[in-house]
Amino acid sequence: MTTRREQILDTAATLFAERGFHGVSVHDIGGACGISGPALYKHFAGKDDILAQALTSISEQLLAEGRARARAATDPSAALDALIAWHIEFALGHPALIVIQEREWGNLGAEGRREVRALQLAYIDIWVDVLRRLRDDLDAAEARAAVQATFGLLNSTPHSARISPEVMRTRLAAMARASLLA
């Protein structure tokens, strides 16, 4: 069951992706959630806090699930496949969050940027560790560059997913694996 807080975060992310951060008011978010705009202040300090919490929350989720999947894998190849599958699942399931991460980063306060960036770097490090176990020819900087380029591919789905989700999932997994292991 979705909590009111989760509903507000999901709704706000969708509205921010559609109209931009500055094109959405607290009243718009509240109205879309079926509550008054001021009722949002029971859950968040304001619109800036909603943006920060949306990006922090998904970064925490990416990191936790990435760690769990990498840890559960039987070998580095399986870990890479698990990480790719997880990121694709996220990218196809949360296109609004990808859009606001990309487009609204500058509207995120300094503390929010620090927190989100730390979580993102920890998530990237999981991938780098797995990749370096498969590609001992890559130093840490090269592996990080390959991982971040692959994220660019996987996170392009809000702009490129014009085929069925299952076909897109299969295509992205093959492309991601090929790009990382090339």
Side-chain angles (χ1 to χ4, degrees):
M1 179 166 77
T2 302
T3 67
R4 175 65 79 180
R5 179 179 167 72
E6 292 167 333
Q7 178 196 20
I8 293 166
L9 289 173
D10 289 344
T11 301
T14 299
L15 292 173
F16 293 157
E18 289 172 357
R19 301 186 216 163
F21 180 75
H22 294 296
V24 176
S25 71
V26 171
H27 294 289
D28 295 332
I29 298 167
C33 291
I35 59 176
S36 70
L40 293 177
Y41 294 106
K42 293 177 184 175
H43 303 278
F44 301 96
K47 191 171 78 164
D48 293 341
D49 187 34
I50 293 171
L51 177 63
Q53 292 299 318
L55 294 177
T56 300
S57 175
I58 199 60
S59 295
E60 289 169 343
Q61 184 181 350
L62 279 165
L63 177 58
E65 187 66 21
R67 281 181 177 151
R69 290 190 184 209
R71 210 175 4 249
T74 56
D75 59 57
S77 183
L80 182 63
D81 288 341
L83 288 170
I84 290 169
W86 163 236
H87 202 92
I88 291 169
E89 182 181 323
F90 162 74
L92 292 177
H94 302 283
L97 290 169
I98 290 172
V99 169
I100 65 171
Q101 166 68 38
E102 172 186 302
R103 194 173 60 203
E104 305 300 342
W105 182 254
N107 291 312
L108 191 59
E111 180 58 32
R113 278 195 304 271
R114 273 191 298 279
E115 189 172 350
V116 171
R117 184 61 71 212
L119 292 164
Q120 290 173 336
L121 290 174
Y123 180 61
I124 291 167
D125 285 344
I126 295 166
W127 284 69
V128 168
D129 179 60
V130 168
L131 182 58
R132 290 190 71 205
R133 286 190 276 145
L134 292 167
R135 299 273 319 271
D136 60 5
D137 61 312
L138 297 178
D139 65 22
E142 291 172 310
R144 181 175 297 280
V147 166
Q148 289 179 298
T150 301
F151 285 176
L153 165 73
L154 298 175
N155 291 342
S156 72
T157 57
H159 314 291
S160 64
R162 308 264 190 277
I163 55 181
S164 76
E166 191 50 46
V167 171
M168 190 66 173
R169 188 174 285 108
T170 301
R171 173 81 53 226
L172 284 171
M175 292 170 69
R177 193 168 221 310
S179 72
L180 290 167
L181 298 177

